[in-house]
Structures are given as structure tokens and as C-alpha cells.
Amino acid sequence: MIDADDADDGSTDGLAFPRSYDSFKHTAGISLLSLGGVFAFADGSGMRFPPAQLVIILSFIAIAGITSILMTGMLATLEIKPEPRALMIRRIRMAQLVIGFSLFGGLGGFTFNFLSALLKG
């Protein structure tokens, strides 16, 4: 039986914000590792990447990392400065979209350039 206190009010089990915090924390790490990987492969010793494309790739990955770190900080401060739940959910959804598209664009562009340079060489 569902009690009145346990009725579904549109919220989850109360772990949505901690899960989002962990998700943003991990995507920040993925972004940092991706930046390091792009720099390692694009150091100029082995393969040559066009500088303009390299800047775009690094920018996309950096946007994902910065957004992840900002959202991690924002979620960590919820206990100190509470925000309305609907506002935080909207911010989390927008940040997840920005991070997803940024990582997709950055890592996809890097993979395309890496494979092109690998097949030419």
C-alpha cells in the first residue's frame, strides 16, 4: 500500500542530486583525461593535426570539463545555500545536454582527425 507520505510527487528516491553530483564528477574526470589524450597525440612528433581543428576539439572538451566542474560545485553547495528543486533540475538537465554534446563533438572530432591522420601515414 502507498501511504499519503509515500505518494509519488514527481520526485525520485531522494538520491537524484547525489547521483547527478557523481555523474558530473566523473564527466569532469573524463574531460581531463580526454584533454590529456588529445595533447598527447597532437604533440606534433607523430601525427599532424590542423591547428584550427585542434583548437575546436580542445574547446569542446574544455567546455564539457568546465561545465562539469561548475555543476559539481553547485550541487556541493546545496546544503549551504538551498535552491528551488525545479530550478536545480532544470540546470542539471541543461548541463547534461551541454556536456554530452560537447564531449560528443570534441571526442568525435578528435577520432575523425586521428583516424584520418593514421590512415594517411
Side-chain angles (χ1 to χ4, degrees):
M1 287 223 67
I2 298 176
D3 295 334
D5 295 336
D6 295 334
D8 188 20
D9 59 353
S11 64
T12 58
D13 57 359
L15 296 175
F17 290 159
R19 287 182 185 153
S20 296
Y21 175 84
D22 287 340
S23 173
F24 289 127
K25 182 175 64 173
H26 291 297
T27 54
I30 289 169
S31 298
L32 289 173
L33 288 173
S34 299
L35 283 173
V38 170
F39 278 121
F41 281 110
D43 64 354
S45 63
M47 297 177 206
R48 298 267 183 217
F49 292 104
Q53 289 179 355
L54 190 60
V55 168
I56 292 170
I57 290 168
L58 291 173
S59 297
F60 271 107
I61 296 172
I63 288 170
I66 291 168
T67 305
S68 297
I69 291 170
L70 289 175
M71 286 304 297
T72 302
M74 191 177 296
L75 287 168
T77 60
L78 276 180
E79 292 183 18
I80 299 168
K81 181 185 170 199
E83 296 275 339
R85 183 174 178 83
L87 178 65
M88 281 309 298
I89 289 172
R90 190 176 316 120
R91 286 180 183 167
I92 288 170
R93 286 182 180 160
M94 291 302 295
Q96 287 173 339
L97 284 172
V98 168
I99 292 167
F101 282 121
S102 297
L103 281 177
F104 177 74
L107 294 177
F110 173 74
T111 303
F112 175 77
N113 286 324
F114 179 74
L115 291 176
S116 296
L118 190 65
L119 294 175
K120 285 181 186 176

